[in-house]
Amino acid sequence: MTQGPLVLIVEDEPQMLRFLRGSLSTHGYRLAETTTGAEGLAQTAARNPDVILLDLGLPDLDGIEVTRRIREWTQIPIIVISARGQDEDKINALDAGADDYLTKPFSVGELLARIRVALRHLAHAASGKEEPIFAVGELRVDLGKRQVFVQDSEVHLTPTEYRLLTTMIKYAGRVVTNRQLLKEVWGPPYVEHTQYLRVFVGQLRQKLEPDPAKPKFLLNEPGVGYRLKMP
Amino acid sequence: MTSRPDPDELVRRVREEERKKTRGRLTIFFGAAPGVGKTFAMLEQAGFLRDVERLDVVAGVVETHGRFETTTLLAGFERLPRRKISYGGTTLEEFDLDAALARKPRLLLVDELAHTNAEGSRHAKRWQDVEELLEAQIDVYTTLNVQHVESLNDVVAQITGVLVRETVPDAVIDAADTIKLVDLPPDALLERLREGKVYLPAQAERALENFFQEGNLIALRELALRKTAERVDADMQAWRREHAIEKTWAASDRLLVCIGPSPYSANLLRVGRRMATSLRARWFAVNVETPATLRLGASDRARIVQNLHLAEQLGAETVTLNGENPAEEILRFAREQNVTKIVVGKPRNARLRDRLRRSFVDQLILRSGEIDIYATVGELEEGASEAPARIPSVKQDPRAYVAAAAAVGLATAVAYALFGRRELADIVMIYLLAIIGVSMRFGFRASLLTSILSVLAFDFFFVQPYLTFSVSDLRHVVTFGVMLLVGVVIAGLTQRVRDQAEVARRSERRTAILYAMSRELSRMEGLGAIVHVAARHLEQVFESRVAILGAKSGELNVDYATAGFVPPLDKEGGVARWVLSHQREAGLGTATLSGSSGFYTPLVAPGAEATALGVLALYPEEPARFADPEQQRLADAFATQVATSYERARLADETERARLQIETEQLRSTLLSSVSHDLRTPLAVMKGAASTLLADDAKLTGAVRKDLHHALLEETERLDRQVRNLLDMTRLESGAVRLKKEWYPLQEIVGATWSRLEARLADHPVTIRVDADIFVRVDNVLMEQVLVNLLENAAKYTPSGTPIDLIAHPGDTEVVVEVADRGPGVPDDERERIFDKFHRGPSERTRAGVGLGLTICRAIIAAHGGRIWVEGRQGGGAIFKFALPVEGGPPPLAKLPEIPERGSEPEALRGPRQGASSP
């Protein structure tokens, strides 16, 4: 049996470790545990894990700093764990290169979902293959032909809306910060135009979601960004 | 027989004790004449303290007068450098008070307590410098001769023929902690004089030779000894009072001294002081302002002021009475105050008027009843003239005389027309009418003239032989005489009436001013209003510019200044601060820093003497105004009013704060009890479930196990919500939350809420109708909170399966969002209270959940400038609605460029269609 993916946990609270250890090992993940940022960096280099779970409230190093340092030399997916009310930290970590986040308290279902998404992206990146078709719910996007279908009827998107959609597909399952989205769709000069981004996403939602007020896949993560739900 | 201790006295003593604890100790080396060796004794004593007790002793200012032994002793002390003041081309060296305060030794030596400081010094007198040193908790040794004692000044002048001008108030000497008499028998002193050991300034040599006569020295020595004995006696009395309080307190005699502009008044005051001291009595110095004295010249008024000051210095309570008859006023006051003895000056020469009317002293004696009258005489102050103040009469307008003549003419004509030359008696009446008319309008001299002219006209025109001044019937002379007399009397009477009216008016005006201000102040709330009202009155009354400085933690801020006026605090800030810390007046007209441009008085509320609330500064247009102690006293009265109002405002503030604190405490205890219940309940379930799963694992069926697991998860979620609510509420209340308002499509926020609550709302069919083009400017995290709370409430309080609708209504000025349910609804009387903290309807008591959800909603909506309420619903249920104001529209979308398509037409960018137009 192939060994499960290696998850590096950087968490100083023993109760959290207990929970993570229990749930992750049950689902077939291998675990490496560290309790400080410095140790985390060292273990990342030494053992090259498949995904890193990083707590933002570490005693020694700022979680954002750790993220930045890891990103200096590797693209290993990082999922940051933050406490409620630390929106700033979350966003900064994501902007610094983290891939996703979890807010305490979270359920094991959320945890596993995030890890799965992260690993999938890793796999895609590694294989270098691009998926030609993306589908979730009633939405189907043919990336090769640049066509978008909702319940099999074609929807016409403006070039901006299309670019927006494809960017979100690129990050499918993961959270994309407003900043990232603005940068990738419109370019670096527009990274502060969050208010306008919302309008565009709203328009996109109008076109793609059956009930835009009850979104099924174009999800908003308040204060952080957006997430395109994975099938 | 024991008598009750005088409560005033007790209070005074306690205050005295308190003060003594925080003041430095003053030791006076007291002598009968220069040369007895006071400075030497002082230095000796200080030296002992320095060497044996290792005290920090500094010589502030010590005059050696070139004497060898003194200079030698002084050499062993650290000496404070003198302050150099240049004055009129020469440089004077004075004691440097500021350097002494900065150096702050344990003991400071300050020679010659009675010395007058040079111009430019902070205080006029060295004893005032010493007062400040004592207040700074520096002990002081000083020297004093008997002739410098204020109350003995005149006696010494009598003895020696030399009037010493520099004096020290008795209050200062009496307050000293120790008086050491340095005694030298007169022949020993004369011996030293011959040996050249006594310093005599060259110019004064001859005068001082007179001074150093043996007879003089003996008398001075006796004075000094007696003064010291008095002091010892007082100490003994004090000791006796402390240890045997039943022993009688002095039967309270009370003394009253009458003073006026006369130069004798100063002597009277000293006599009064000596009597008061030996009787241990309170004493008053009273000045009576009569209509006549109102017309005194400037120098006489100044002398009255001086005398009042002197009286205060000597320890009297000064009072100014108003009235027409001085004797009457004084006696009335004396009876009110239970005065037992009155001291007046003996009239020097009998004057003609005094022979006709009883003199002031006679009246006093006759009507004094049981009060003793002491008529004394004393030596004149040098330089004062003998002539008593002449009271000038009112200047007459020359028109008055013309009017007099005209009146007589008119009267003559009228009389002739009416009566011809008969009915002489009636004609006389007409003339009397004329006299009355003129005297009411024009004053004494004119009416006197009218009287005389009337008599002449009567004689000339109406008495035979007509048109001559001779009189045929001698009986008419009686008529003339009576006419003249009546005329004069009427003139005098009306003049007096007018004067009385003037006096009454003045004093009434003063009272009215004070009353008006105090009444207005009592209605004022808030310090700002109080300060404005007070300042307005002050500006009017004192014809000055006003600055009110409030003290906050020792610093003075300008709470008020007359419009356009900047108080000169850069130069005189020190004066204000001095007044604040010493709680005494300074500036214009006082003995301290009288060179300032303003009069500064502290604001001390009665009863709160510990702290001064600020300083009142008055800058009169006429600087001489505050030389009058009456004005100073008036200013004091105003200052007390202002201070009382300040105090009131402060207390009101404190009461408010205390009330808030109580409220907060109450709220906190409610919260605590609520929280402890509502947190414990889910925890109880969790613990129960978890422990069952652990302990009884084997015995549980699959279904039960699953159920327990569910319960566990549910309770954690409930706990999560509770904690979240509590935290939110705390953060909102503490103001830690800062709104980050941005434009959002409302739909997006609703969508996020839905994602979050989808699972929780599974039991209810939820309909959401929010158009994509409704935009609101909100903090999205907080707004989501509101929607979450409303939807959760809807789910919690309505039966399963009932629908929940969330609808947004756009509008011109506001967007209204409603969450409607088909639950039991909210009864009318609870529609307001439901938003209050910890409110739970009677049916909800059993349900878990701290009643904070709606309170949080309200706080958040309020912070956005909106409002939230609940309505009933047709067919049952409740509709919770909130309205958010729409401030303008979101900025145009053109900021984000449309991306050009390769080869295809770019679609026109659709701007958002808002329901709300810009207001």
Side-chain angles (χ1 to χ4, degrees), chain B residues 227-394:
Chain B
K227 178 84 188 156
T228 317
E230 254 176 42
R231 169 63 189 243
V232 172
D233 188 43
D235 285 346
M236 186 190 72
Q237 286 285 337
W239 188 92
R240 281 173 66 188
R241 272 200 291 272
E242 272 172 52
H243 288 83
I245 299 198
E246 300 92 46
K247 216 57 175 99
T248 57
W249 290 69
S252 23
D253 260 315
R254 282 197 190 174
L255 213 62
L256 187 151
V257 176
C258 309
I259 57 177
S262 153
Y264 302 119
S265 291
N267 286 339
L268 277 182
L269 285 171
R270 295 205 179 90
V271 168
R273 155 84 200 181
R274 289 199 289 275
M275 273 182 77
T277 312
S278 57
L279 290 173
R280 273 177 277 284
R282 270 174 76 181
W283 62 295
F284 300 93
V286 175
N287 171 45
V288 183
E289 275 193 4
T290 62
T293 61
L294 280 178
R295 297 198 290 269
L296 282 176
S299 62
D300 289 320
R301 295 223 67 141
R303 200 173 296 123
I304 295 186
V305 165
Q306 262 177 5
N307 287 337
L308 285 172
H309 263 138
L310 179 60
E312 271 181 6
Q313 274 193 335
L314 288 173
E317 282 174 49
T318 56
V319 177
T320 302
L321 299 173
N322 289 301
E324 212 238 293
N325 183 340
E328 227 175 80
E329 292 303 321
I330 286 184
L331 284 171
R332 188 181 317 141
F333 178 77
R335 292 216 172 83
E336 274 169 22
Q337 299 286 333
N338 293 322
V339 166
T340 54
K341 296 171 175 16
I342 298 183
V343 178
V344 287
K346 267 196 221 176
R348 284 228 127 189
N349 357 336
R351 293 177 298 177
L352 183 66
R353 267 174 68 188
D354 294 339
R355 279 197 232 238
L356 289 177
R357 290 192 311 181
R358 298 240 168 72
S359 74
F360 164 66
V361 179
D362 288 334
Q363 284 187 36
L364 208 56
I365 293 176
L366 272 176
R367 298 207 244 159
S368 52
E370 69 287 354
I371 302 178
D372 295 334
I373 310 285
Y374 290 75
T376 82
V377 75
E379 285 294 324
L380 263 186
E381 246 177 33
E382 216 175 77
S385 69
E386 274 241 13
R390 264 194 47 209
I391 294 170
S393 42
V394 184

Side-chain angles (χ1 to χ4, degrees), chain B residues 787-903:
Chain B
L787 290 169
V788 164
N789 281 359
L790 288 175
L791 285 170
E792 270 183 354
N793 272 3
K796 191 155 70 171
Y797 295 115
T798 63
S800 283
T802 57
I804 299 177
D805 304 319
L806 194 160
I807 305 171
H809 305 284
D812 278 339
T813 52
E814 56 184 19
V815 170
V816 178
V817 178
E818 63 176 60
V819 175
D821 64 56
R822 288 278 175 211
V826 178
D828 275 340
D829 56 337
E830 294 209 358
R831 294 230 173 111
E832 276 297 312
R833 285 186 297 148
I834 202 174
F835 291 96
D836 287 340
K837 258 192 243 192
F838 308 125
H839 172 87
R840 277 189 264 155
S843 56
E844 302 160 41
R845 282 285 151 65
T846 49
R847 263 194 260 236
V850 185
L852 280 178
L854 286 173
T855 316
I856 294 175
C857 290
R858 183 170 64 177
I860 295 176
I861 298 290
H864 283 86
R867 43 184 225 289
I868 184 169
W869 70 99
V870 62
E871 293 172 8
R873 196 177 184 192
Q874 285 269 2
I879 312 182
F880 281 85
K881 291 190 177 174
F882 64 89
L884 292 170
V886 179
E887 323 144 1
L893 221 51
K895 286 269 182 100
L896 286 176
E898 181 59 57
I899 292 162
E901 180 59 67
R902 321 178 297 250

Side-chain angles (χ1 to χ4, degrees), chain B residues 14-33:
Chain B
V14 168
R15 288 236 180 89
E16 190 63 32
E17 293 301 318
E18 284 303 309
R19 249 195 48 227
K20 283 218 164 166
K21 286 195 200 127
T22 57
R23 267 166 69 98
R25 298 177 65 79
L26 175 63
T27 304
I28 301 181
F29 288 81
F30 191 54

Side-chain angles (χ1 to χ4, degrees), chain A residues 84-85 87-88 91 104-107 146 156-164 178 182 184-186 190-203 205-207 211-216 218-226 229, chain B residues 713 720-721 723-724 727 731 740-745 747-752 754-756 758 765-772 775 777 780-781 784 891-902 904-912:
Chain A
R84 194 205 313 279
D87 277 348
E88 291 284 316
I91 300 173
K104 289 195 279 204
F106 53 85
S107 68
R146 301 175 76 87
H156 196 82
L157 299 178
T158 69
T160 315
E161 288 167 353
Y162 185 74
R163 171 94 68 95
L164 192 52
N178 295 322
L182 283 161
E184 297 207 16
V185 177
W186 283 277
Y190 299 96
V191 290
E192 304 289 344
H193 292 50
T194 324
Q195 303 187 58
Y196 311 105
L197 174 63
R198 292 186 198 119
V199 180
F200 270 98
V201 175
Q203 285 175 343
R205 229 184 251 133
Q206 273 302 100
K207 291 187 176 177
D211 186 353
K214 292 188 188 171
K216 291 216 165 100
L218 272 175
L219 302 177
N220 172 34
E221 308 255 321
V224 183
Y226 296 91
K229 197 156 172 190
Chain B
L713 190 60
D720 189 21
R721 273 200 303 282
V723 171
R724 191 204 339 129
L727 282 177
R731 276 192 10 248
K740 275 189 305 199
K741 292 211 278 194
E742 289 182 3
W743 285 103
Y744 286 88
Q747 196 185 65
E748 185 167 283
I749 303 181
V750 170
W754 166 254
S755 313
R756 202 155 131 193
E758 195 175 348
V766 177
T767 313
I768 301 183
R769 279 212 300 275
V770 178
D771 282 346
F775 284 79
R777 191 152 179 274
N780 65 329
V781 173
E784 198 186 311
L893 221 51
K895 286 269 182 100
L896 286 176
E898 181 59 57
I899 292 162
E901 180 59 67
R902 321 178 297 250
S904 65
E905 298 292 328
E907 259 208 7
L909 200 58
R910 236 180 349 133

